[in-house]
Amino acid sequence: MLEFKREFFEGEVRDGFFVASEMKCAWAAELEVVTEIDRICQKYGITYFADSGTLLGAVRHNGFIPWDDDLDIGMKREDYNRFAQVVSKEIPPDWEYLHPYDNSDWSQPFSRLVNGRSLSTSVERLTRFHGCPYVVGVDVFPLDYLPGFGEPNDEVDTIISLLYDVLYVSSFVQQNPGHLDVIEEIMQSVEENCRTKIDRKGDIPKQMAQLMDRLYSLFSEEESGSVANMSFVPDATEFRAYVGSMRDKNWYRESVRLPFENITIPVPIDYHQALTRTYGPNYMTPVKKWDTHNYPFYKGQKEVLRKLKEDSKEVKSKLDALYAELEEMNRENIESIRKMEDVANLESLEDMQGIGDPDVPAEALQTVETGIPAQAGKEAGEAAEAKAANEASEARNETDEAAEANETGQKDEMKEGEAAQAEGEARADETGQAEADDAAQVKDEIKADDAAEAEADDATQAGKAQEDFPADREGLNAENKEQEMANLAAPGDEL
């Protein structure tokens, strides 16, 4: 991430033109994008050059032209194609490389690297791009070859004428959708001369962008004496319209780096000749032409951001009113619960009064519909109160059923104890009788008879213990039942 001095972001007058602080943030964001391009190009040995106003700004201002708001770079066709092959796997996942052959609605005959597809006021975006929430990018132009240099040429004239027709079709369709019949003759001429087929039901501007890209790259470096950014060629009827874009290819044999704000940027080694060809011999004298394009570029995005802020305020206002109504309903619910005789613990209910911080986080504003009526909150509160009452009633019914089942279980256990005692006494009598008969017959076994009597005594004591046990168990269960009822009477957190 680039570092800037604090004063860089202050609004200032440069060459008689006021540059706002907001534009300074956009400049810094664009410098972050071109720095990423520079990293990729150095990694893969790709050469690029500052182009157009960026080239002029580097030479004349050591940075942006004060009334310029974008960055333009150019690459010779071979480097341009190589860059297109590697850029997508090198850039961050939320960035995008737009070009004529992608699946987006990009319909220009050049490409553009952007730091996202939508504006964002997230902390991450604002930190990464120096407070700029807008989508920013760098235009990447192919520098293609043309035969000859500086003189009229039939081949060049033919290509420029074709480009003009293709560009006209693209512009007309974008400005007048649904009126293809008006330019049908021109489209047929383009199809015939370019040996192609235009899908009338498809994305015509994108088809034209792809066609222009193919026309740009018809000639190789070996058969050409000049390079040109043909994206700026508007009309073949005026020779100067394209001669300014034609530059001796030797001027671009290598690059040198010049200061540009707080970085350096590569320019063609013979940049003086290139600038003279494009802007004339007095290119070092500023000519303020900030009305030549839609300055600033983020004008439309700024309007979207303003609308989002207004909508956010409206949503927040409605949420505040809803929160206030819900809080009042909670207070009313607590008062009604206080009047319930079977509620023992009210302290924990005090927590129900708090419903959260009324300051709505930004994430919430993105998920709450603006049309929520306040009455909806009230109905939700009444439904919640009814549900709580039903749950309390069901809990009491379950308590009564559990108590009844417990009492029935105790009675069954008492009956089983009495039956076991009777069976024990009967067995003891039988054993005693058998031992008595044995003693009468065998007098020598008097000691065994004494042991039998002792065992009979033990059995009697065991029976007495069985009589005492049900009474103790009943007392214990009664105590547990009383504790369970007390617990069920307390509402706790569930209410």
Side-chain angles (χ1 to χ4, degrees), residues 88-100:
S88 294
K89 66 181 181 182
E90 289 288 338
I91 56 178
D94 53 336
W95 291 31
E96 189 165 6
Y97 183 62
L98 305 173
H99 57 90

PDB file of all heavy atoms in Angstrom, residues 88-100:
ATOM      1  N   SER A  88      -5.742 -11.716 -14.589  1.00  0.00           N
ATOM      2  CA  SER A  88      -6.854 -12.172 -13.750  1.00  0.00           C
ATOM      3  C   SER A  88      -6.404 -13.062 -12.592  1.00  0.00           C
ATOM      4  O   SER A  88      -7.030 -13.078 -11.523  1.00  0.00           O
ATOM      5  CB  SER A  88      -7.891 -12.910 -14.605  1.00  0.00           C
ATOM      6  OG  SER A  88      -8.493 -12.019 -15.517  1.00  0.00           O
ATOM      7  N   LYS A  89      -5.331 -13.813 -12.791  1.00  0.00           N
ATOM      8  CA  LYS A  89      -4.857 -14.690 -11.714  1.00  0.00           C
ATOM      9  C   LYS A  89      -3.939 -13.961 -10.742  1.00  0.00           C
ATOM     10  O   LYS A  89      -3.560 -14.537  -9.702  1.00  0.00           O
ATOM     11  CB  LYS A  89      -4.142 -15.913 -12.290  1.00  0.00           C
ATOM     12  CG  LYS A  89      -2.850 -15.612 -13.030  1.00  0.00           C
ATOM     13  CD  LYS A  89      -2.234 -16.904 -13.576  1.00  0.00           C
ATOM     14  CE  LYS A  89      -0.920 -16.626 -14.311  1.00  0.00           C
ATOM     15  NZ  LYS A  89      -0.336 -17.865 -14.879  1.00  0.00           N
ATOM     16  N   GLU A  90      -3.589 -12.724 -11.041  1.00  0.00           N
ATOM     17  CA  GLU A  90      -2.681 -11.962 -10.189  1.00  0.00           C
ATOM     18  C   GLU A  90      -3.396 -10.924  -9.319  1.00  0.00           C
ATOM     19  O   GLU A  90      -2.922 -10.599  -8.242  1.00  0.00           O
ATOM     20  CB  GLU A  90      -1.633 -11.245 -11.053  1.00  0.00           C
ATOM     21  CG  GLU A  90      -0.610 -12.170 -11.693  1.00  0.00           C
ATOM     22  CD  GLU A  90       0.372 -12.740 -10.677  1.00  0.00           C
ATOM     23  OE1 GLU A  90       0.530 -12.126  -9.605  1.00  0.00           O
ATOM     24  OE2 GLU A  90       0.951 -13.798 -10.945  1.00  0.00           O
ATOM     25  N   ILE A  91      -4.511 -10.424  -9.765  1.00  0.00           N
ATOM     26  CA  ILE A  91      -5.186  -9.347  -9.044  1.00  0.00           C
ATOM     27  C   ILE A  91      -5.992  -9.899  -7.869  1.00  0.00           C
ATOM     28  O   ILE A  91      -6.327 -11.085  -7.837  1.00  0.00           O
ATOM     29  CB  ILE A  91      -6.104  -8.553  -9.988  1.00  0.00           C
ATOM     30  CG1 ILE A  91      -7.117  -9.484 -10.669  1.00  0.00           C
ATOM     31  CG2 ILE A  91      -5.295  -7.795 -11.016  1.00  0.00           C
ATOM     32  CD1 ILE A  91      -8.102  -8.767 -11.576  1.00  0.00           C
ATOM     33  N   PRO A  92      -6.310  -9.067  -6.873  1.00  0.00           N
ATOM     34  CA  PRO A  92      -7.154  -9.495  -5.751  1.00  0.00           C
ATOM     35  C   PRO A  92      -8.504 -10.006  -6.265  1.00  0.00           C
ATOM     36  O   PRO A  92      -8.972  -9.599  -7.340  1.00  0.00           O
ATOM     37  CB  PRO A  92      -7.311  -8.212  -4.921  1.00  0.00           C
ATOM     38  CG  PRO A  92      -6.105  -7.396  -5.251  1.00  0.00           C
ATOM     39  CD  PRO A  92      -5.810  -7.682  -6.699  1.00  0.00           C
ATOM     40  N   PRO A  93      -9.157 -10.886  -5.510  1.00  0.00           N
ATOM     41  CA  PRO A  93     -10.398 -11.516  -5.985  1.00  0.00           C
ATOM     42  C   PRO A  93     -11.545 -10.545  -6.223  1.00  0.00           C
ATOM     43  O   PRO A  93     -12.445 -10.839  -7.007  1.00  0.00           O
ATOM     44  CB  PRO A  93     -10.741 -12.505  -4.858  1.00  0.00           C
ATOM     45  CG  PRO A  93      -9.979 -12.028  -3.665  1.00  0.00           C
ATOM     46  CD  PRO A  93      -8.729 -11.400  -4.194  1.00  0.00           C
ATOM     47  N   ASP A  94     -11.559  -9.400  -5.547  1.00  0.00           N
ATOM     48  CA  ASP A  94     -12.657  -8.462  -5.739  1.00  0.00           C
ATOM     49  C   ASP A  94     -12.377  -7.453  -6.850  1.00  0.00           C
ATOM     50  O   ASP A  94     -13.224  -6.602  -7.144  1.00  0.00           O
ATOM     51  CB  ASP A  94     -12.969  -7.724  -4.437  1.00  0.00           C
ATOM     52  CG  ASP A  94     -11.739  -7.072  -3.824  1.00  0.00           C
ATOM     53  OD1 ASP A  94     -10.628  -7.533  -4.107  1.00  0.00           O
ATOM     54  OD2 ASP A  94     -11.894  -6.109  -3.050  1.00  0.00           O
ATOM     55  N   TRP A  95     -11.200  -7.506  -7.459  1.00  0.00           N
ATOM     56  CA  TRP A  95     -10.887  -6.656  -8.608  1.00  0.00           C
ATOM     57  C   TRP A  95     -11.383  -7.341  -9.880  1.00  0.00           C
ATOM     58  O   TRP A  95     -11.743  -8.524  -9.878  1.00  0.00           O
ATOM     59  CB  TRP A  95      -9.391  -6.416  -8.717  1.00  0.00           C
ATOM     60  CG  TRP A  95      -8.811  -5.549  -7.636  1.00  0.00           C
ATOM     61  CD1 TRP A  95      -9.245  -5.433  -6.349  1.00  0.00           C
ATOM     62  CD2 TRP A  95      -7.669  -4.697  -7.753  1.00  0.00           C
ATOM     63  NE1 TRP A  95      -8.450  -4.552  -5.646  1.00  0.00           N
ATOM     64  CE2 TRP A  95      -7.472  -4.086  -6.494  1.00  0.00           C
ATOM     65  CE3 TRP A  95      -6.802  -4.393  -8.786  1.00  0.00           C
ATOM     66  CZ2 TRP A  95      -6.437  -3.193  -6.250  1.00  0.00           C
ATOM     67  CZ3 TRP A  95      -5.756  -3.502  -8.550  1.00  0.00           C
ATOM     68  CH2 TRP A  95      -5.592  -2.900  -7.283  1.00  0.00           C
ATOM     69  N   GLU A  96     -11.372  -6.584 -10.997  1.00  0.00           N
ATOM     70  CA  GLU A  96     -11.827  -7.178 -12.254  1.00  0.00           C
ATOM     71  C   GLU A  96     -11.099  -6.539 -13.436  1.00  0.00           C
ATOM     72  O   GLU A  96     -10.865  -5.322 -13.453  1.00  0.00           O
ATOM     73  CB  GLU A  96     -13.332  -7.009 -12.412  1.00  0.00           C
ATOM     74  CG  GLU A  96     -13.906  -7.792 -13.581  1.00  0.00           C
ATOM     75  CD  GLU A  96     -15.409  -7.909 -13.527  1.00  0.00           C
ATOM     76  OE1 GLU A  96     -16.015  -7.291 -12.636  1.00  0.00           O
ATOM     77  OE2 GLU A  96     -15.976  -8.619 -14.380  1.00  0.00           O
ATOM     78  N   TYR A  97     -10.760  -7.390 -14.396  1.00  0.00           N
ATOM     79  CA  TYR A  97     -10.127  -6.921 -15.628  1.00  0.00           C
ATOM     80  C   TYR A  97     -11.180  -6.963 -16.722  1.00  0.00           C
ATOM     81  O   TYR A  97     -11.630  -8.033 -17.144  1.00  0.00           O
ATOM     82  CB  TYR A  97      -8.936  -7.808 -15.984  1.00  0.00           C
ATOM     83  CG  TYR A  97      -8.181  -7.350 -17.215  1.00  0.00           C
ATOM     84  CD1 TYR A  97      -7.546  -6.109 -17.241  1.00  0.00           C
ATOM     85  CD2 TYR A  97      -8.102  -8.155 -18.348  1.00  0.00           C
ATOM     86  CE1 TYR A  97      -6.847  -5.687 -18.371  1.00  0.00           C
ATOM     87  CE2 TYR A  97      -7.398  -7.749 -19.481  1.00  0.00           C
ATOM     88  CZ  TYR A  97      -6.775  -6.504 -19.483  1.00  0.00           C
ATOM     89  OH  TYR A  97      -6.085  -6.086 -20.596  1.00  0.00           O
ATOM     90  N   LEU A  98     -11.608  -5.809 -17.191  1.00  0.00           N
ATOM     91  CA  LEU A  98     -12.651  -5.697 -18.201  1.00  0.00           C
ATOM     92  C   LEU A  98     -12.017  -5.619 -19.584  1.00  0.00           C
ATOM     93  O   LEU A  98     -11.084  -4.838 -19.803  1.00  0.00           O
ATOM     94  CB  LEU A  98     -13.489  -4.441 -17.947  1.00  0.00           C
ATOM     95  CG  LEU A  98     -14.116  -4.319 -16.551  1.00  0.00           C
ATOM     96  CD1 LEU A  98     -14.762  -2.958 -16.380  1.00  0.00           C
ATOM     97  CD2 LEU A  98     -15.131  -5.429 -16.317  1.00  0.00           C
ATOM     98  N   HIS A  99     -12.536  -6.422 -20.520  1.00  0.00           N
ATOM     99  CA  HIS A  99     -12.008  -6.421 -21.880  1.00  0.00           C
ATOM    100  C   HIS A  99     -13.105  -6.861 -22.849  1.00  0.00           C
ATOM    101  O   HIS A  99     -14.163  -7.372 -22.413  1.00  0.00           O
ATOM    102  CB  HIS A  99     -10.782  -7.343 -21.991  1.00  0.00           C
ATOM    103  CG  HIS A  99     -11.039  -8.758 -21.579  1.00  0.00           C
ATOM    104  ND1 HIS A  99     -11.469  -9.717 -22.451  1.00  0.00           N
ATOM    105  CD2 HIS A  99     -10.944  -9.364 -20.369  1.00  0.00           C
ATOM    106  CE1 HIS A  99     -11.622 -10.866 -21.815  1.00  0.00           C
ATOM    107  NE2 HIS A  99     -11.305 -10.681 -20.549  1.00  0.00           N
ATOM    108  N   PRO A 100     -12.923  -6.672 -24.145  1.00  0.00           N
ATOM    109  CA  PRO A 100     -14.012  -6.931 -25.098  1.00  0.00           C
ATOM    110  C   PRO A 100     -14.496  -8.374 -25.141  1.00  0.00           C
ATOM    111  O   PRO A 100     -15.623  -8.626 -25.590  1.00  0.00           O
ATOM    112  CB  PRO A 100     -13.396  -6.531 -26.455  1.00  0.00           C
ATOM    113  CG  PRO A 100     -12.296  -5.598 -26.128  1.00  0.00           C
ATOM    114  CD  PRO A 100     -11.749  -6.066 -24.811  1.00  0.00           C
TER     115      PRO A 100
END
